[in-house]
Coordinates of all heavy atoms in Angstrom, one line a residue:
M117 N -1.7 5.4 13.8 CA -1.1 4.1 13.3 C -2.1 3.5 12.3 O -3.3 3.4 12.6 CB -0.9 3.2 14.5 CG 0.2 3.6 15.4 SD 0.9 2.5 16.7 CE -0.2 1.1 16.7
P118 N -1.5 3.1 11.2 CA -2.4 2.5 10.1 C -3.0 1.2 10.6 O -2.4 0.4 11.3 CB -1.4 2.2 9.0 CG -0.2 3.1 9.2 CD -0.1 3.2 10.7
T119 N -4.2 0.9 10.2 CA -4.9 -0.4 10.4 C -4.8 -1.1 9.1 O -5.1 -0.6 8.0 CB -6.3 -0.1 10.8 OG1 -6.4 0.6 12.0 CG2 -7.1 -1.5 10.9
V120 N -4.4 -2.4 9.2 CA -4.4 -3.3 8.0 C -5.4 -4.4 8.2 O -5.4 -5.0 9.2 CB -3.0 -3.9 7.9 CG1 -2.9 -4.9 6.7 CG2 -1.9 -2.9 7.7
V121 N -6.3 -4.5 7.2 CA -7.2 -5.6 7.2 C -6.7 -6.6 6.1 O -6.6 -6.2 4.9 CB -8.7 -5.1 6.9 CG1 -9.6 -6.3 6.8 CG2 -9.1 -4.1 7.9
F122 N -6.5 -7.8 6.4 CA -5.8 -8.8 5.5 C -6.7 -10.0 5.4 O -7.1 -10.6 6.4 CB -4.5 -9.2 6.1 CG -3.7 -10.2 5.2 CD1 -3.2 -9.8 4.0 CD2 -3.5 -11.5 5.7 CE1 -2.5 -10.8 3.3 CE2 -2.8 -12.4 5.0 CZ -2.3 -12.1 3.7
H123 N -7.2 -10.3 4.2 CA -8.0 -11.5 3.9 C -7.3 -12.5 3.2 O -6.6 -12.3 2.2 CB -9.2 -11.0 3.0 CG -10.0 -9.9 3.5 ND1 -11.0 -10.1 4.4 CD2 -10.0 -8.6 3.2 CE1 -11.6 -8.9 4.7 NE2 -11.0 -8.0 3.9
K124 N -7.4 -13.8 3.7 CA -6.8 -14.9 3.0 C -7.5 -16.2 3.4 O -7.7 -16.4 4.6 CB -5.3 -15.0 3.4 CG -4.6 -16.1 2.6 CD -3.1 -16.1 2.8 CE -2.5 -17.2 2.0 NZ -1.0 -17.2 2.3
G125 N -7.8 -17.0 2.5 CA -8.4 -18.3 2.8 C -9.7 -18.2 3.5 O -10.0 -19.1 4.4
G126 N -10.5 -17.2 3.3 CA -11.8 -17.1 4.0 C -11.7 -16.5 5.4 O -12.7 -16.3 6.1
Q127 N -10.5 -16.2 5.8 CA -10.2 -15.6 7.1 C -9.9 -14.1 7.0 O -9.3 -13.7 6.0 CB -9.1 -16.3 7.8 CG -9.3 -17.8 8.1 CD -10.4 -18.0 9.1 OE1 -10.5 -17.4 10.1 NE2 -11.3 -19.0 8.8
T128 N -10.2 -13.3 8.0 CA -9.8 -11.9 8.0 C -9.0 -11.6 9.3 O -9.4 -12.1 10.4 CB -11.1 -11.1 8.0 OG1 -11.8 -11.3 6.8 CG2 -10.7 -9.6 8.0
Y129 N -7.9 -11.0 9.1 CA -7.0 -10.6 10.1 C -6.9 -9.1 10.1 O -6.7 -8.5 9.1 CB -5.6 -11.2 9.9 CG -5.6 -12.7 9.6 CD1 -5.7 -13.2 8.3 CD2 -5.6 -13.6 10.7 CE1 -5.8 -14.6 8.1 CE2 -5.7 -15.0 10.5 CZ -5.7 -15.5 9.2 OH -5.8 -16.8 8.9
T130 N -7.0 -8.5 11.3 CA -6.9 -7.0 11.4 C -5.8 -6.7 12.5 O -5.8 -7.3 13.5 CB -8.3 -6.4 11.8 OG1 -9.3 -6.8 10.9 CG2 -8.2 -4.9 11.9
D131 N -5.0 -5.7 12.1 CA -4.0 -5.3 13.1 C -3.6 -3.9 12.8 O -3.7 -3.4 11.7 CB -2.8 -6.2 12.9 CG -1.8 -6.2 14.0 OD1 -2.1 -5.6 15.1 OD2 -0.6 -6.7 13.9
E132 N -3.1 -3.2 13.8 CA -2.5 -1.9 13.6 C -1.0 -2.1 13.5 O -0.4 -3.0 14.1 CB -2.8 -1.0 14.9 CG -4.2 -0.4 14.9 CD -4.3 0.6 16.0 OE1 -3.5 0.7 16.9 OE2 -5.3 1.4 15.9
V133 N -0.4 -1.3 12.6 CA 1.0 -1.3 12.4 C 1.6 0.1 12.7 O 0.9 1.1 12.6 CB 1.3 -1.8 11.0 CG1 0.9 -3.3 10.8 CG2 0.8 -0.9 9.9
K134 N 2.9 0.1 12.9 CA 3.5 1.4 13.0 C 3.6 2.1 11.7 O 3.6 1.4 10.6 CB 5.0 1.2 13.6 CG 5.0 0.7 15.0 CD 6.4 0.5 15.4 CE 6.5 -0.1 16.8 NZ 7.8 -0.4 17.3
D135 N 3.7 3.4 11.7 CA 3.8 4.1 10.4 C 5.0 3.7 9.7 O 6.1 3.3 10.3 CB 3.9 5.6 10.8 CG 3.7 6.5 9.5 OD1 2.8 6.2 8.7 OD2 4.4 7.5 9.4
N136 N 4.9 3.6 8.4 CA 6.0 3.2 7.5 C 6.4 1.7 7.7 O 7.6 1.4 7.7 CB 7.2 4.1 7.7 CG 8.1 4.2 6.4 OD1 7.6 4.0 5.3 ND2 9.4 4.3 6.6
T137 N 5.4 0.9 7.8 CA 5.6 -0.6 8.0 C 5.5 -1.3 6.7 O 4.7 -1.0 5.9 CB 4.6 -1.1 9.0 OG1 4.9 -0.6 10.3 CG2 4.6 -2.6 9.1
N138 N 6.4 -2.3 6.6 CA 6.3 -3.2 5.4 C 5.8 -4.6 5.9 O 6.4 -5.2 6.9 CB 7.7 -3.4 4.8 CG 7.7 -4.3 3.6 OD1 7.6 -5.5 3.7 ND2 7.7 -3.7 2.4
L139 N 4.7 -5.1 5.3 CA 4.1 -6.4 5.8 C 5.0 -7.6 5.7 O 5.0 -8.5 6.5 CB 2.8 -6.6 5.2 CG 1.7 -5.5 5.4 CD1 0.4 -5.9 4.8 CD2 1.6 -5.2 6.9
V140 N 5.8 -7.6 4.6 CA 6.7 -8.8 4.4 C 7.8 -8.8 5.6 O 8.1 -9.8 6.1 CB 7.4 -8.7 3.0 CG1 8.5 -9.8 2.9 CG2 6.3 -9.0 2.0
V141 N 8.3 -7.6 6.0 CA 9.2 -7.6 7.1 C 8.5 -8.1 8.4 O 9.1 -8.9 9.1 CB 9.7 -6.1 7.3 CG1 10.5 -6.0 8.6 CG2 10.6 -5.7 6.1
R142 N 7.3 -7.6 8.6 CA 6.5 -8.1 9.8 C 6.3 -9.6 9.7 O 6.4 -10.3 10.7 CB 5.2 -7.4 9.9 CG 5.3 -5.9 10.2 CD 4.6 -5.4 11.3 NE 3.8 -6.2 12.2 CZ 2.8 -5.8 12.9 NH1 2.5 -4.5 12.8 NH2 2.2 -6.5 13.7
A143 N 6.0 -10.1 8.5 CA 5.8 -11.6 8.4 C 7.1 -12.3 8.7 O 7.0 -13.4 9.3 CB 5.3 -11.9 6.9
G144 N 8.2 -11.8 8.2 CA 9.5 -12.4 8.5 C 9.8 -12.5 9.9 O 10.5 -13.5 10.3
I145 N 9.4 -11.6 10.7 CA 9.7 -11.7 12.2 C 8.5 -12.2 13.0 O 8.5 -12.1 14.2 CB 10.2 -10.3 12.7 CG1 9.1 -9.2 12.5 CG2 11.5 -9.9 12.1 CD1 9.5 -7.9 13.1
K146 N 7.5 -12.8 12.2 CA 6.4 -13.6 12.8 C 5.5 -12.7 13.7 O 5.1 -13.1 14.8 CB 6.9 -14.8 13.6 CG 7.8 -15.7 12.8 CD 7.1 -16.3 11.6 CE 8.0 -17.4 10.9 NZ 8.0 -17.3 9.5
Q147 N 5.3 -11.5 13.3 CA 4.3 -10.6 14.1 C 2.9 -10.8 13.5 O 2.7 -10.6 12.3 CB 4.8 -9.2 14.0 CG 6.0 -8.9 14.7 CD 6.4 -7.4 14.8 OE1 5.8 -6.6 14.1 NE2 7.4 -7.1 15.6
F148 N 2.0 -11.2 14.4 CA 0.6 -11.4 14.0 C 0.0 -10.2 13.3 O 0.3 -9.1 13.7 CB -0.2 -11.7 15.3 CG -1.7 -11.8 15.0 CD1 -2.2 -13.0 14.5 CD2 -2.6 -10.8 15.1 CE1 -3.6 -13.2 14.2 CE2 -3.9 -10.9 14.8 CZ -4.4 -12.1 14.4
P149 N -0.8 -10.4 12.3 CA -1.2 -11.7 11.7 C -0.4 -12.0 10.4 O -0.8 -12.8 9.6 CB -2.7 -11.4 11.3 CG -2.7 -10.0 10.9 CD -1.7 -9.3 11.8
Y150 N 0.7 -11.4 10.2 CA 1.3 -11.5 8.9 C 2.1 -12.8 8.7 O 2.6 -13.0 7.5 CB 2.1 -10.2 8.7 CG 1.1 -9.1 8.8 CD1 1.2 -8.2 9.9 CD2 0.0 -9.0 8.0 CE1 0.2 -7.3 10.1 CE2 -0.9 -8.0 8.2 CZ -0.8 -7.2 9.3 OH -1.8 -6.2 9.5
P151 N 2.3 -13.7 9.6 CA 2.8 -15.0 9.2 C 1.9 -15.7 8.2 O 2.4 -16.6 7.5 CB 2.9 -15.8 10.5 CG 3.0 -14.8 11.6 CD 2.2 -13.6 11.1
H152 N 0.7 -15.3 8.0 CA -0.2 -15.8 7.1 C 0.0 -15.3 5.7 O -0.5 -15.8 4.7 CB -1.7 -15.6 7.5 CG -2.0 -16.1 8.8 ND1 -2.2 -17.5 9.0 CD2 -2.2 -15.5 10.0 CE1 -2.4 -17.7 10.3 NE2 -2.4 -16.5 10.9
L153 N 0.8 -14.2 5.5 CA 1.1 -13.6 4.3 C 2.1 -14.5 3.5 O 3.2 -14.9 4.1 CB 1.8 -12.2 4.5 CG 2.2 -11.5 3.3 CD1 1.1 -11.0 2.4 CD2 3.1 -10.3 3.7
R154 N 1.8 -14.9 2.3 CA 2.7 -15.7 1.5 C 3.7 -14.7 0.9 O 3.4 -13.7 0.3 CB 1.9 -16.4 0.4 CG 2.8 -17.3 -0.5 CD 2.0 -18.1 -1.5 NE 1.5 -17.2 -2.5 CZ 0.1 -17.0 -2.7 NH1 -0.7 -17.6 -1.9 NH2 -0.3 -16.2 -3.6
Y155 N 5.0 -15.1 1.0 CA 6.1 -14.2 0.4 C 7.3 -15.1 0.2 O 7.3 -16.3 0.7 CB 6.4 -13.0 1.3 CG 7.0 -13.4 2.6 CD1 8.4 -13.4 2.8 CD2 6.2 -13.9 3.7 CE1 8.9 -13.8 4.0 CE2 6.7 -14.2 4.9 CZ 8.1 -14.2 5.1 OH 8.7 -14.6 6.3
E156 N 8.3 -14.6 -0.5 CA 9.5 -15.4 -0.6 C 10.7 -14.5 -0.6 O 11.4 -14.5 0.4 CB 9.4 -16.2 -1.9 CG 10.5 -17.3 -2.0 CD 10.3 -18.3 -3.1 OE1 9.2 -18.9 -3.1 OE2 11.1 -18.3 -4.0
C157 N 11.0 -13.8 -1.7 CA 12.2 -13.1 -1.8 C 12.3 -11.7 -1.0 O 13.3 -11.3 -0.6 CB 12.6 -12.8 -3.2 SG 11.6 -11.5 -4.1
G158 N 11.1 -11.0 -0.9 CA 11.1 -9.7 -0.3 C 11.7 -8.6 -1.1 O 11.9 -7.5 -0.5
M159 N 12.0 -8.9 -2.3 CA 12.7 -7.9 -3.1 C 12.0 -7.5 -4.4 O 12.6 -6.9 -5.3 CB 14.2 -8.3 -3.4 CG 15.0 -8.5 -2.2 SD 16.7 -9.0 -2.5 CE 16.5 -10.5 -3.3
G160 N 10.8 -8.0 -4.6 CA 10.1 -7.7 -5.8 C 10.4 -8.6 -7.0 O 10.1 -8.2 -8.2
K161 N 11.1 -9.7 -6.8 CA 11.5 -10.6 -7.9 C 10.7 -11.8 -8.1 O 10.7 -12.4 -9.2 CB 13.0 -11.0 -7.6 CG 14.0 -9.9 -7.6 CD 15.4 -10.5 -7.4 CE 16.4 -9.4 -7.5 NZ 17.8 -9.9 -7.3
C162 N 9.9 -12.2 -7.2 CA 9.1 -13.5 -7.3 C 7.6 -13.3 -7.4 O 6.9 -14.2 -7.8 CB 9.5 -14.4 -6.1 SG 8.8 -13.9 -4.5
A163 N 7.0 -12.2 -6.9 CA 5.6 -12.0 -6.9 C 4.8 -12.9 -6.0 O 3.6 -12.9 -6.1 CB 5.0 -11.9 -8.3
K164 N 5.4 -13.6 -5.1 CA 4.7 -14.5 -4.2 C 3.8 -13.7 -3.2 O 2.8 -14.2 -2.7 CB 5.6 -15.4 -3.4 CG 6.5 -16.4 -4.2 CD 5.7 -17.6 -4.6 CE 6.6 -18.6 -5.2 NZ 5.9 -19.7 -5.8
C165 N 4.2 -12.5 -3.0 CA 3.5 -11.7 -2.0 C 2.4 -10.8 -2.6 O 1.8 -9.9 -2.0 CB 4.4 -10.8 -1.2 SG 5.2 -9.5 -2.3
A166 N 2.0 -11.1 -3.9 CA 1.0 -10.3 -4.6 C -0.3 -10.3 -3.8 O -0.7 -11.3 -3.4 CB 0.8 -10.8 -6.0
C167 N -0.9 -9.1 -3.6 CA -2.2 -9.0 -3.0 C -3.0 -8.0 -3.8 O -2.5 -7.1 -4.4 CB -2.0 -8.4 -1.6 SG -1.1 -9.4 -0.4
R168 N -4.3 -8.2 -3.7 CA -5.2 -7.2 -4.3 C -5.6 -6.2 -3.3 O -6.0 -6.6 -2.2 CB -6.5 -7.9 -4.9 CG -7.3 -7.0 -5.7 CD -8.3 -7.7 -6.7 NE -9.0 -8.8 -6.0 CZ -10.3 -8.7 -5.6 NH1 -11.0 -7.5 -5.8 NH2 -10.9 -9.7 -5.1
V169 N -5.5 -5.0 -3.6 CA -5.9 -3.9 -2.7 C -7.4 -3.6 -2.8 O -7.9 -3.3 -3.9 CB -5.1 -2.6 -3.0 CG1 -5.5 -1.5 -2.0 CG2 -3.6 -2.9 -3.0
L170 N -8.1 -3.9 -1.7 CA -9.5 -3.7 -1.7 C -9.9 -2.3 -1.2 O -11.0 -1.8 -1.6 CB -10.2 -4.7 -0.7 CG -9.9 -6.2 -1.1 CD1 -10.6 -7.1 0.0 CD2 -10.4 -6.5 -2.4
A171 N -9.1 -1.7 -0.4 CA -9.4 -0.3 0.1 C -8.0 0.3 0.4 O -7.1 -0.3 0.9 CB -10.3 -0.3 1.3
G172 N -7.9 1.6 0.2 CA -6.8 2.4 0.6 C -5.7 2.6 -0.5 O -4.6 3.1 -0.2
A173 N -6.0 2.1 -1.7 CA -5.0 2.2 -2.8 C -4.6 3.6 -3.0 O -3.4 3.9 -3.4 CB -5.6 1.6 -4.1
E174 N -5.5 4.6 -2.8 CA -5.2 6.0 -3.1 C -4.1 6.5 -2.2 O -3.5 7.6 -2.5 CB -6.4 6.8 -3.0 CG -7.0 6.9 -1.6 CD -8.0 5.8 -1.2 OE1 -8.0 4.8 -1.9 OE2 -8.6 6.0 -0.2
H175 N -3.8 5.8 -1.1 CA -2.8 6.3 -0.1 C -1.4 5.5 -0.3 O -0.5 5.8 0.4 CB -3.2 6.1 1.3 CG -4.5 6.8 1.6 ND1 -4.6 8.2 1.6 CD2 -5.7 6.4 1.9 CE1 -5.8 8.6 1.9 NE2 -6.5 7.5 2.0
L176 N -1.4 4.6 -1.2 CA -0.2 3.8 -1.5 C 0.7 4.6 -2.5 O 0.3 5.4 -3.3 CB -0.5 2.4 -2.0 CG -1.3 1.5 -1.1 CD1 -1.7 0.2 -1.8 CD2 -0.5 1.2 0.2
P177 N 2.0 4.3 -2.4 CA 2.9 4.9 -3.4 C 2.6 4.4 -4.8 O 2.0 3.4 -4.9 CB 4.3 4.5 -2.9 CG 4.1 3.3 -2.1 CD 2.7 3.4 -1.5
P178 N 3.1 5.2 -5.8 CA 2.8 4.7 -7.2 C 3.4 3.3 -7.4 O 4.4 3.0 -6.8 CB 3.5 5.8 -8.0 CG 3.7 7.0 -7.1 CD 3.8 6.4 -5.7
V179 N 2.9 2.6 -8.3 CA 3.4 1.3 -8.8 C 4.8 1.5 -9.3 O 5.1 2.4 -10.1 CB 2.5 0.7 -9.9 CG1 3.1 -0.6 -10.4 CG2 1.1 0.4 -9.3
N180 N 5.8 0.7 -8.8 CA 7.2 0.8 -9.3 C 7.5 -0.1 -10.4 O 6.7 -1.0 -10.8 CB 8.1 0.7 -8.1 CG 8.2 -0.7 -7.5 OD1 7.9 -1.7 -8.1 ND2 8.5 -0.7 -6.2
W181 N 8.7 -0.1 -10.9 CA 9.1 -0.9 -12.1 C 9.1 -2.4 -11.8 O 8.8 -3.2 -12.6 CB 10.4 -0.4 -12.6 CG 11.6 -0.7 -11.8 CD1 12.1 0.1 -10.8 CD2 12.4 -1.9 -11.7 NE1 13.2 -0.5 -10.2 CE2 13.4 -1.7 -10.8 CE3 12.4 -3.1 -12.5 CZ2 14.4 -2.7 -10.5 CZ3 13.4 -4.0 -12.2 CH2 14.3 -3.8 -11.2
K182 N 9.4 -2.7 -10.5 CA 9.4 -4.1 -10.1 C 8.0 -4.7 -10.2 O 7.8 -5.8 -10.7 CB 10.0 -4.3 -8.7 CG 11.5 -4.0 -8.6 CD 11.9 -4.2 -7.2 CE 13.4 -3.9 -7.1 NZ 13.9 -4.1 -5.7
E183 N 7.0 -3.9 -9.7 CA 5.6 -4.4 -9.7 C 5.1 -4.4 -11.2 O 4.4 -5.4 -11.5 CB 4.8 -3.4 -8.9 CG 5.0 -3.5 -7.4 CD 4.3 -2.5 -6.6 OE1 4.5 -1.2 -6.7 OE2 3.3 -2.9 -5.9
K184 N 5.5 -3.5 -12.0 CA 5.1 -3.5 -13.4 C 5.6 -4.8 -14.1 O 4.9 -5.4 -14.8 CB 5.5 -2.3 -14.1 CG 4.8 -1.0 -13.7 CD 5.3 0.2 -14.4 CE 4.6 1.5 -13.9 NZ 5.2 2.7 -14.4
K185 N 6.9 -5.1 -13.8 CA 7.5 -6.3 -14.4 C 6.8 -7.6 -13.9 O 6.5 -8.5 -14.7 CB 9.0 -6.3 -14.1 CG 9.7 -7.5 -14.7 CD 11.2 -7.4 -14.4 CE 11.9 -8.7 -14.9 NZ 13.3 -8.7 -14.6
Q186 N 6.6 -7.7 -12.6 CA 6.1 -9.0 -12.0 C 4.6 -9.1 -12.2 O 4.1 -10.2 -12.4 CB 6.4 -9.0 -10.5 CG 7.9 -9.2 -10.3 CD 8.5 -10.5 -10.9 OE1 7.8 -11.5 -10.9 NE2 9.7 -10.4 -11.3
L187 N 3.8 -8.0 -12.1 CA 2.4 -8.1 -12.1 C 1.7 -7.9 -13.5 O 0.6 -8.4 -13.7 CB 1.8 -7.2 -11.1 CG 2.2 -7.5 -9.6 CD1 1.7 -6.3 -8.7 CD2 1.7 -8.8 -9.2
G188 N 2.3 -7.1 -14.3 CA 1.7 -6.8 -15.6 C 0.3 -6.3 -15.6 O 0.0 -5.4 -14.9
D189 N -0.6 -7.0 -16.3 CA -2.0 -6.6 -16.3 C -2.7 -6.7 -15.0 O -3.8 -6.2 -14.8 CB -2.7 -7.4 -17.4 CG -2.3 -7.1 -18.8 OD1 -1.7 -6.0 -19.0 OD2 -2.5 -7.9 -19.7
R190 N -2.2 -7.5 -14.1 CA -2.8 -7.7 -12.8 C -2.9 -6.3 -12.0 O -3.7 -6.2 -11.1 CB -2.1 -8.7 -11.9 CG -2.3 -10.1 -12.5 CD -1.5 -11.2 -11.8 NE -1.9 -11.4 -10.5 CZ -1.2 -12.0 -9.6 NH1 0.0 -12.6 -9.9 NH2 -1.6 -12.1 -8.3
I191 N -2.0 -5.4 -12.3 CA -2.0 -4.1 -11.7 C -3.4 -3.4 -12.0 O -4.0 -2.8 -11.1 CB -0.9 -3.2 -12.2 CG1 0.5 -3.8 -11.7 CG2 -1.1 -1.8 -11.8 CD1 1.7 -3.1 -12.4
D192 N -3.9 -3.6 -13.2 CA -5.2 -3.0 -13.5 C -6.4 -3.6 -12.7 O -7.4 -3.0 -12.6 CB -5.5 -3.2 -15.0 CG -4.6 -2.4 -15.9 OD1 -4.0 -1.4 -15.4 OD2 -4.4 -2.9 -17.0
Q193 N -6.1 -4.8 -12.1 CA -7.1 -5.5 -11.3 C -6.9 -5.1 -9.8 O -7.6 -5.7 -8.9 CB -7.0 -7.0 -11.5 CG -7.3 -7.5 -12.9 CD -6.9 -8.9 -13.1 OE1 -6.8 -9.7 -12.1 NE2 -6.6 -9.3 -14.3
G194 N -6.0 -4.3 -9.5 CA -5.7 -3.8 -8.2 C -4.7 -4.5 -7.4 O -4.5 -4.4 -6.2
Y195 N -3.8 -5.3 -8.1 CA -2.8 -6.1 -7.4 C -1.5 -5.2 -7.2 O -1.2 -4.4 -8.0 CB -2.4 -7.4 -8.2 CG -3.4 -8.5 -8.0 CD1 -4.5 -8.6 -8.7 CD2 -3.2 -9.4 -7.0 CE1 -5.5 -9.6 -8.6 CE2 -4.1 -10.4 -6.8 CZ -5.3 -10.5 -7.6 OH -6.2 -11.5 -7.4
R196 N -0.9 -5.5 -6.0 CA 0.4 -4.8 -5.7 C 1.2 -5.9 -5.0 O 0.8 -6.9 -4.5 CB 0.2 -3.7 -4.7 CG -0.7 -2.5 -5.2 CD -0.1 -1.7 -6.3 NE 1.2 -1.2 -6.0 CZ 1.4 0.1 -5.5 NH1 0.3 0.9 -5.3 NH2 2.6 0.5 -5.3
L197 N 2.5 -5.7 -5.0 CA 3.5 -6.5 -4.3 C 3.6 -6.0 -2.8 O 4.1 -4.9 -2.6 CB 4.8 -6.6 -5.0 CG 4.9 -7.1 -6.4 CD1 6.3 -7.1 -6.9 CD2 4.3 -8.6 -6.4
A198 N 3.3 -6.8 -1.9 CA 3.3 -6.3 -0.5 C 4.8 -6.0 -0.1 O 4.9 -5.0 0.7 CB 2.8 -7.4 0.5
C199 N 5.7 -6.6 -0.6 CA 7.1 -6.3 -0.3 C 7.6 -4.9 -0.7 O 8.6 -4.4 -0.2 CB 8.1 -7.4 -0.8 SG 8.3 -7.4 -2.6
Q200 N 6.8 -4.3 -1.6 CA 7.2 -3.0 -2.2 C 6.4 -1.9 -1.5 O 6.6 -0.7 -1.9 CB 7.0 -3.0 -3.7 CG 7.8 -4.0 -4.4 CD 9.3 -3.8 -4.2 OE1 9.8 -2.7 -4.6 NE2 10.0 -4.7 -3.6
L201 N 5.5 -2.2 -0.5 CA 4.7 -1.2 0.1 C 5.1 -0.9 1.5 O 5.1 -1.8 2.3 CB 3.2 -1.7 0.1 CG 2.6 -2.1 -1.3 CD1 1.2 -2.6 -1.2 CD2 2.7 -0.8 -2.2
W202 N 5.4 0.3 1.8 CA 5.7 0.8 3.1 C 4.4 1.6 3.5 O 4.1 2.6 2.9 CB 6.9 1.6 3.2 CG 8.1 0.8 2.9 CD1 8.6 0.4 1.7 CD2 8.9 0.0 3.8 NE1 9.7 -0.5 1.8 CE2 9.8 -0.7 3.1 CE3 8.8 -0.1 5.2 CZ2 10.7 -1.6 3.8 CZ3 9.7 -0.9 5.9 CH2 10.7 -1.7 5.1
L203 N 3.7 1.1 4.5 CA 2.3 1.6 4.8 C 2.4 2.8 5.8 O 3.0 2.7 6.8 CB 1.5 0.5 5.3 CG 1.4 -0.8 4.4 CD1 0.6 -1.8 5.2 CD2 0.8 -0.4 3.1
S204 N 1.6 3.8 5.4 CA 1.4 5.0 6.3 C 0.0 5.3 6.5 O -0.4 6.2 7.2 CB 2.2 6.2 5.7 OG 3.5 5.9 5.6
S205 N -0.9 4.6 5.8 CA -2.4 4.8 5.9 C -3.1 3.4 6.0 O -2.5 2.4 5.6 CB -2.9 5.6 4.7 OG -2.3 6.8 4.7
D206 N -4.4 3.5 6.4 CA -5.1 2.2 6.4 C -5.2 1.6 5.1 O -5.3 2.3 4.0 CB -6.6 2.5 6.9 CG -6.6 3.1 8.3 OD1 -5.6 3.0 9.0 OD2 -7.7 3.5 8.7
V207 N -5.2 0.2 5.1 CA -5.3 -0.5 3.8 C -6.0 -1.8 4.1 O -6.0 -2.4 5.2 CB -3.9 -0.7 3.2 CG1 -3.0 -1.7 4.1 CG2 -3.9 -1.2 1.8
E208 N -6.7 -2.3 3.0 CA -7.3 -3.6 3.1 C -6.9 -4.4 1.9 O -6.9 -4.0 0.8 CB -8.9 -3.5 3.0 CG -9.6 -4.8 3.2 CD -11.1 -4.6 3.3 OE1 -11.6 -3.5 3.3 OE2 -11.8 -5.7 3.4
L209 N -6.3 -5.6 2.2 CA -5.7 -6.5 1.2 C -6.3 -7.9 1.2 O -6.7 -8.4 2.2 CB -4.2 -6.6 1.5 CG -3.4 -5.4 1.6 CD1 -2.0 -5.7 2.2 CD2 -3.3 -4.6 0.3
L210 N -6.3 -8.5 0.0 CA -6.7 -9.8 -0.2 C -5.6 -10.6 -0.9 O -5.1 -10.2 -1.9 CB -8.0 -9.9 -1.1 CG -8.4 -11.3 -1.6 CD1 -8.9 -12.2 -0.4 CD2 -9.5 -11.2 -2.6
Q211 N -5.2 -11.7 -0.3 CA -4.2 -12.5 -1.0 C -4.8 -13.8 -1.3 O -5.5 -14.5 -0.5 CB -3.0 -12.8 -0.1 CG -1.8 -13.5 -0.8 CD -0.6 -13.6 0.0 OE1 -0.6 -14.1 1.1 NE2 0.5 -13.1 -0.6
D212 N -4.7 -14.2 -2.6 CA -5.3 -15.4 -3.1 C -4.6 -16.6 -2.4 O -3.4 -16.6 -2.1 CB -5.1 -15.6 -4.6 CG -5.8 -14.4 -5.4 OD1 -6.8 -13.9 -4.9 OD2 -5.2 -14.1 -6.4
V213 N -5.4 -17.7 -2.2 CA -4.8 -18.9 -1.6 C -4.0 -19.6 -2.7 O -4.5 -19.7 -3.8 CB -5.9 -19.8 -1.0 CG1 -5.3 -21.1 -0.5 CG2 -6.7 -19.1 0.1
E214 N -2.9 -20.1 -2.4 CA -2.0 -20.8 -3.3 C -2.8 -22.0 -3.9 O -3.4 -22.7 -3.1 CB -0.8 -21.3 -2.7 CG 0.5 -20.7 -3.3 CD 1.7 -21.2 -2.6 OE1 1.7 -21.4 -1.4 OE2 2.8 -21.2 -3.2
A215 N -2.7 -22.2 -5.2 CA -3.3 -23.4 -5.8 C -2.5 -24.6 -5.6 O -1.4 -24.6 -5.4 CB -3.5 -23.1 -7.3

């Protein structure tokens, strides 16, 4: 089972998830610790769920067209849309605190 380390607002949340898990889906059903994940549409249209990948990027699927459209140059800084990621390996993410 993949381990997810999630950083937000100076706090770190760690949890194991089932293989092929989407964090926005987990956040939507209020499974710890993902209620702390900021998201909105869940379809790659709003970019509210953007996170910087700190570790495990090599195990994620390639960036898709929705991420390219929403994130642009931020992809080069390691950002991905959590709603577009189905996790099968360990990952560490950082989500910026909303301004």
